[in-house]
Structure formats: C-alpha cells, structure tokens
C-alpha cells in the first residue's frame, strides 16, 4: 500500500458540489492499494499513521501524534499512486489493485484507524472527487508498505 499523508489545518472532499467528508485538522491521507497488498498491510499503515508524530509540541518540535492534538483523518482512495510513468506520456495504472481488493483494503484501513480511536471522514471509493485542503507546514510524508 502507498499513502501520501499531508498535515492539514482543514480539508474537505466534494462530489458533484456536495461535501461528503470534512475534517477540522489532522491528516489528509491519499491511499493506494497494490495487487499484492493484504489486511496486514492496511493494519500496519493505519498503526503507523495514527502514531505519526508530526504535530508541534510546546517547544515547537514535531513530537505529537493525532491523538495528542485531537486530530482527524480525511481518507481518500487514490489508485493513481500506482501510476507507471516510465514509458511515454500517458501513465499506466496496471500496477494498482483491482477495484474489489482496493475497496476492501481501503475500508479495512479506515476501520482500523477508527478502532485506534481516530475520527475518519472519507470520500467515495472510485468516485470523481474534488479534495481541498490547507496543508499545514507544509508537511507531507510518503509511506509504502513494500519498504517496511
């Protein structure tokens, strides 16, 4: 699984002009699923992201996690994280999981975050979404479970 995690002051996702998910502050997580990924990968990633210490403490150091600051997650399914751009100018997405597996593991990731006490808002799997956020810092962290 691949995830782009952006520390955010506020974020929302809309579909056809209607807000379907929003957070005040926390992380926007763009999540991609690969064909070899498992529920162990989604659990691992949810644990890592929930404990990621990139919020400032009283000394101004990035030392606090979501729970420490009452942060939330806006989780967006993002198969394009598996784009292959090595050949030509049009990316190939054959490296992404099939939709059934992608949706299953996306849902498992969100459920695990909720089990860990994180408030999670989502977009719509496979939907045509518009995501807006105020990136705080900016802080953007990349995760890939193949590198664990």
């Amino acid at each position: 699984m691949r995830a782009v995690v952006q520390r955010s002051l506020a974020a929302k996702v809309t579909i056809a002009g209607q807000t379907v998910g929003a957070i005040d502050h926390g992380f926007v997580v763009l999540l991609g699923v690969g064909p070899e990924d498992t529920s162990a990968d989604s659990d691992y990633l949810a644990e890592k992201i929930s404990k990621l210490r990139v919020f400032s403490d009283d000394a101004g150091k990035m030392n606090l996690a979501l729970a420490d600051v009452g942060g939330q997650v806006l989780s967006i399914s993002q198969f394009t994280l598996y784009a292959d751009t090595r050949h030509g100018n049009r990316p190939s997405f054959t490296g992404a999981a099939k939709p059934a597996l992608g949706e299953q593991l996306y849902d498992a990731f969100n459920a695990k975050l909720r089990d860990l006490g994180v408030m999670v808002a989502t977009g719509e799997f496979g939907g045509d979404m518009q995501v807006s956020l105020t990136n705080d810092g900016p802080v953007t962290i990349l995760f890939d479970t193949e590198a664990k």
Side-chain angles (χ1 to χ4, degrees), residues 136-148:
D136 183 19
V139 173
T140 302
I141 309 288
L142 303 175
F143 289 90
D144 190 332
T145 58
E146 288 183 22
K148 64 180 177 181

Side-chain angles (χ1 to χ4, degrees), residues 5-59:
V5 178
Q6 297 175 305
R7 189 176 71 180
S8 176
L9 293 175
K12 68 178 181 175
V13 58
T14 59
I15 298 174
Q18 299 296 314
T19 299
V20 297
I23 62 168
D24 292 328
H25 73 285
F27 294 142
V28 173
V29 178
L30 306 177
L31 184 73
V33 178
E36 304 301 319
D37 291 331
T38 67
S39 60
D41 293 309
S42 64
D43 287 350
Y44 168 83
L45 203 52
E47 290 271 354
K48 290 292 283 186
I49 290 170
S50 71
K51 296 175 183 172
L52 183 63
R53 296 178 359 187
V54 295
F55 296 95
S56 297
D57 63 16
D58 291 338

Side-chain angles (χ1 to χ4, degrees), residues 9-130:
L9 293 175
K12 68 178 181 175
V13 58
T14 59
I15 298 174
Q18 299 296 314
T19 299
V20 297
I23 62 168
D24 292 328
H25 73 285
F27 294 142
V28 173
V29 178
L30 306 177
L31 184 73
V33 178
E36 304 301 319
D37 291 331
T38 67
S39 60
D41 293 309
S42 64
D43 287 350
Y44 168 83
L45 203 52
E47 290 271 354
K48 290 292 283 186
I49 290 170
S50 71
K51 296 175 183 172
L52 183 63
R53 296 178 359 187
V54 295
F55 296 95
S56 297
D57 63 16
D58 291 338
K61 295 193 184 272
M62 289 196 292
N63 198 31
L64 302 177
L66 279 170
D68 300 323
V69 298
Q72 307 159 331
V73 167
L74 177 59
S75 176
I76 306 294
S77 173
Q78 188 75 46
F79 76 93
T80 60
L81 292 177
Y82 279 88
D84 182 350
T85 59
R86 292 176 293 174
H87 307 289
N89 295 316
R90 182 172 184 242
S92 169
F93 301 106
T94 58
K98 300 288 184 207
L101 177 62
E103 186 169 17
Q104 175 190 346
L105 292 181
Y106 171 69
D107 290 343
F109 169 78
N110 294 328
K112 180 65 174 182
L113 281 175
R114 289 181 180 112
D115 289 347
L116 294 167
V118 178
M119 194 291 288
V120 179
T122 65
E124 178 183 300
F125 184 88
D128 182 13
M129 298 173 278
Q130 291 72 52

